[in-house]
Every structure is written in C-alpha cells, then in structure tokens.
Amino acid sequence: LKGCDEALREKFINNLSKRAAEMLMDDLETLGPVRVSEVESAQKEILSAARRLADEGTIMLGGSGEEYI
C-alpha cells in the first residue's frame, strides 16, 4: 500500500475490521520510506498470490465491471 494511490488505499482499509485497519495504518506510519523496487516486488507477490487463489476458486477477482452477489 506504500506505493498505491489514496483511493486504492482507502478501499483496502475500508474492507478491514476497524482494529485491523488501525493496526495497518500504524504499521504504514512506522515503516517510513521504502524503496520503489521493494514496493514493486511486494506488489508482484500479492498479485501472484491473488491469481493463484482465483485459479483455485478460493477468491473471485473482479474488475470487468460485473457485479456479484
């Protein structure tokens, strides 16, 4: 979340419990500056994990404008 825009950060945080969101925000503030290469590497790992979970049917990835219930 260090390298993403504010709208994405807010969307992510709003989908966490209040306690988890507070802990995450504290961690982000405490972390300080991070190298861009480290941020990009972490983003790739997260994307890879999300794609693997989607392939397994554990999660559903949106983005095509479709709504799910």
Side-chain angles (χ1 to χ4, degrees), residues 48-60:
S48 177
R51 286 184 176 148
R52 186 181 87 269
L53 291 171
D55 290 343
E56 294 171 357
T58 305
I59 64 172
M60 291 176 44

Side-chain angles (χ1 to χ4, degrees), residues 30-63:
T30 305
L31 189 58
V34 179
R35 288 188 176 125
V36 172
S37 61
E38 291 178 39
V39 170
E40 290 172 346
S41 176
Q43 289 173 339
K44 287 178 185 177
E45 287 181 42
I46 293 167
L47 184 56
S48 177
R51 286 184 176 148
R52 186 181 87 269
L53 291 171
D55 290 343
E56 294 171 357
T58 305
I59 64 172
M60 291 176 44
L61 298 176

